[in-house]
Amino acid sequence: MSASPPHVSTHRHAFTYLNPRVREGVTVTSRRAMLKAGLAGFGGLTLPGLLRARAEAAATGRPMSRNKAVILLWMAGGPSHVDMWDPKPHAPSGYRGPFGTIPTKLPGVHLCEHLPKQAALMDKLTIIRSMDCRGSNHQPNMVMQTANVLAEPRTNPEAKMYPGFASIVAKHRGANVAGMPPAVHLNVRDRTHFAWAGYLGQKYNPFVGDNVNALFQLPGELTMDRLRSRQTLAQQMDSLRRDVDNSGSVEALDRFGQQAFDLVAGGAAQEAFDLSKEPQRIVDRYGTHDWARKALLARRLVERGVSYVTLDLSNHSASGTWDTHGDNIPPYGGIWSGLRPLLPVFDHLFSTLVTDLGERGLLDDVLVLAMGEFGRTPEIGTQGSTDGRNHWPYVSSITLAGGGFRHGQVIGATDRFGGQIAERALTPGDLAATIFHHMGVPVDVTYEDHQRRPRYVVENGEPIRELV
């Protein structure tokens, strides 16, 4: 094993010039717009076409467990693997960082001293220490959320068209419960922190689930009675068409359209987003931090039928909160002043979420992932900073829990500096195949690009054998 320090990247850390504020998908600017979006297609599979696709999948005999779900804790900016999940206490001082390490429930495995709750849960977790993130970059965050190395907007103008995991699940699986959106994005500080539907079409975009209290309220001049009257008129018109529709497709459209209507008219989705319905002891358990409250909301959503929730753990847009370039490089901060305050918050929300899911009997059905777009340089003090680490796409760490997988293990390893993969290199494609395996989405499913060429949802990858 080489003792030579790895090469340190020095490229820019902020990409404000590539931070477009482009509206896409379900963008709600008023309650009237919310109603329009809901009836036209709320978060994807409540659309008639998407509901039909789910019904057709069921008709083919392809097994789909009703309750499978994913919660992705997206650590925008790139969490420092060497200061969290892959510490190097015996590396030289310019590499090992300022934090100590602690033993975990898994013998021989140590974590950062600021992750004690995860350490106590290690028998229920898996840490991947050898994720190859080459090609990934800051926002628009595409590569690690699409598993396609071509999804890099700085080098490929079509990058934004590669669909994210959430949208693929929305198209090929749908919500677990009728009347719920199949996919939801939470804490949307900046839309470029997320991957969207791309080639699949905007109808498969996740529902943006922030500021939802007003979204389910109808404008004063539009009552549910009037809304039902409009639906009745539409049904009457469809009945005329049905008389000449020998295939019965219009009848099916009525059924799926009714489910789309029920999402807005019914109370299931509204209730799921309402944290006031949660027992106070559970609210207190998660705590008052906004990230923790959003984690509780994510649990409520998957418990009530949402299939895929992405929670952006960010406090600002820029390049994300975890982009720890140095104490003297605002707004990011460095490992000491930037990362250290985040770790107890993350440790608490992650462990509380996993424990809560387990106590509710949901952990085998819900896969929890915590990751960012890449790791950080093994060398500390980059870019003339006091204690920052720059971007490092050559390796990152990911933590997983639940999903019915085999846990209590560490997969892969890095060299003594934490800069290069030493064992069991894994790719975003392997991660995608593992997620789709969990969600019952075949990895040989394709979608069409603008030239009508078929593309596989997983270009290169297979389910991680140590987990499945």
Side-chain angles (χ1 to χ4, degrees):
M1 186 175 298
S2 173
S4 300
H7 175 69
V8 175
S9 170
T10 58
H11 55 275
R12 291 184 64 189
H13 60 81
F15 299 95
T16 55
Y17 66 96
L18 283 171
N19 194 12
R21 300 277 185 176
V22 178
R23 293 186 182 275
E24 57 180 309
V26 183
T27 301
V28 178
T29 57
S30 68
R31 288 180 291 176
R32 184 187 297 274
M34 174 61 196
L35 178 64
K36 181 179 178 182
L39 291 178
F42 189 172
L45 262 193
T46 49
L47 281 170
L50 291 176
L51 292 167
R52 186 185 307 112
R54 179 169 172 80
E56 289 172 353
T60 64
R62 175 159 53 92
M64 276 191 176
S65 171
R66 286 187 55 82
N67 300 315
K68 296 294 185 181
V70 173
I71 297 175
L72 170 58
L73 302 175
W74 181 249
M75 307 165 81
S80 178
H81 59 293
V82 291
D83 294 295
M84 294 178 61
W85 297 307
D86 189 14
K88 301 295 180 181
H90 303 298
S93 60
Y95 293 85
R96 64 174 176 261
F99 305 146
T101 65
I102 54 174
T104 71
K105 203 167 185 178
L106 194 62
V109 175
H110 286 68
L111 298 181
C112 163
E113 63 179 320
H114 298 297
L115 299 175
K117 295 181 179 181
Q118 288 181 63
L121 279 177
M122 193 60 219
D123 59 324
K124 296 181 175 62
L125 310 179
T126 293
I127 296 176
I128 298 174
R129 288 177 169 171
S130 54
M131 182 59 62
D132 185 342
C133 301
R134 283 176 295 178
S136 183
N137 212 326
H138 278 326
Q139 59 200 76
N141 290 136
M142 299 295 294
V143 171
M144 293 301 294
Q145 292 186 35
T146 65
N148 198 311
V149 295
L150 298 178
E152 165 50 284
R154 292 160 189 79
T155 59
N156 181 7
E158 294 187 12
K160 67 180 181 179
M161 301 308 299
Y162 295 103
F165 302 150
S167 294
I168 292 169
V169 169
K171 176 177 173 61
H172 293 285
R173 179 186 178 85
N176 290 316
V177 174
M180 294 298 294
V184 175
H185 286 341
L186 294 176
N187 197 36
V188 184
R189 300 285 181 175
D190 192 310
R191 294 180 68 87
T192 63
H193 286 188
F194 301 87
W196 300 87
Y199 287 125
L200 299 184
Q202 292 188 11
K203 60 182 177 291
Y204 296 102
N205 272 343
F207 171 57
V208 177
D210 294 296
N211 301 318
V212 298
N213 289 336
L215 297 186
F216 294 95
Q217 302 173 19
L218 299 181
E221 71 275 13
L222 184 59
T223 66
M224 287 310 305
D225 287 340
R226 291 183 63 187
L227 190 57
R228 290 190 179 95
S229 296
R230 294 183 185 183
Q231 189 197 32
T232 300
L233 176 61
Q235 290 171 341
Q236 291 171 349
M237 295 298 295
D238 283 341
S239 68
L240 296 176
R241 293 169 56 202
R242 189 162 50 245
D243 291 338
V244 295
D245 182 42
N246 295 326
S247 68
S249 61
V250 175
E251 182 179 2
L253 181 60
D254 282 348
R255 179 164 61 90
F256 297 122
Q258 178 66 47
Q259 293 181 50
F261 173 82
D262 288 344
L263 180 62
V264 178
Q270 184 175 2
E271 192 275 339
F273 280 99
D274 189 354
L275 286 182
S276 70
K277 304 292 185 182
E278 196 70 26
Q280 188 60 44
R281 61 180 179 82
I282 301 298
V283 174
D284 293 342
R285 184 179 186 181
Y286 276 82
T288 59
H289 195 282
D290 188 53
W291 292 359
R293 290 295 177 93
K294 289 296 196 318
L296 173 55
L297 179 55
R299 190 270 288 161
R300 285 182 62 83
L301 292 174
V302 298
E303 188 174 34
R304 286 157 177 79
V306 175
S307 293
Y308 203 109
V309 178
T310 305
L311 168 54
D312 181 15
L313 301 184
S314 287
N315 291 323
H316 60 79
S317 57
S319 297
T321 301
W322 302 86
D323 199 17
T324 47
H325 284 277
D327 286 352
N328 55 331
I329 305 180
Y332 310 103
I335 300 305
W336 185 256
S337 68
L339 180 63
R340 183 173 57 93
L342 298 180
L343 294 182
V345 176
F346 171 74
D347 190 42
H348 173 72
L349 80 85
F350 182 87
S351 59
T352 302
L353 176 62
V354 171
T355 301
D356 193 17
L357 289 168
E359 291 175 354
R360 290 172 177 271
L362 300 172
L363 196 54
D364 281 347
D365 284 332
V366 181
L367 173 62
V368 181
L369 296 158
M371 67 178 189
E373 54 266 49
F374 41 54
R376 312 299 296 187
T377 53
E379 182 180 3
I380 201 166
T382 59
Q383 304 163 276
S385 69
T386 53
D387 71 339
R389 298 187 192 269
N390 201 354
H391 308 163
W392 195 254
Y394 303 101
V395 63
S396 74
S397 293
I398 293 176
T399 296
L400 307 88
F405 291 141
R406 294 192 294 265
H407 292 297
Q409 61 175 322
V410 172
I411 300 175
T414 56
D415 62 19
R416 62 173 295 210
F417 296 102
Q420 301 293 333
I421 296 174
E423 298 176 12
R424 187 69 171 109
L426 293 171
T427 68
D430 297 322
L431 178 65
T434 305
I435 292 172
F436 296 149
H437 171 85
H438 167 66
M439 295 301 294
V441 176
V443 296
D444 58 354
V445 165
T446 62
Y447 57 90
E448 290 185 345
D449 63 18
H450 288 160
Q451 286 73 46
R452 303 189 68 82
R453 295 173 300 187
R455 295 175 179 265
Y456 289 102
V457 296
V458 177
E459 296 285 353
N460 294 287
E462 59 184 19
I464 299 170
R465 61 177 182 268
E466 293 89 342
L467 290 171
V468 301

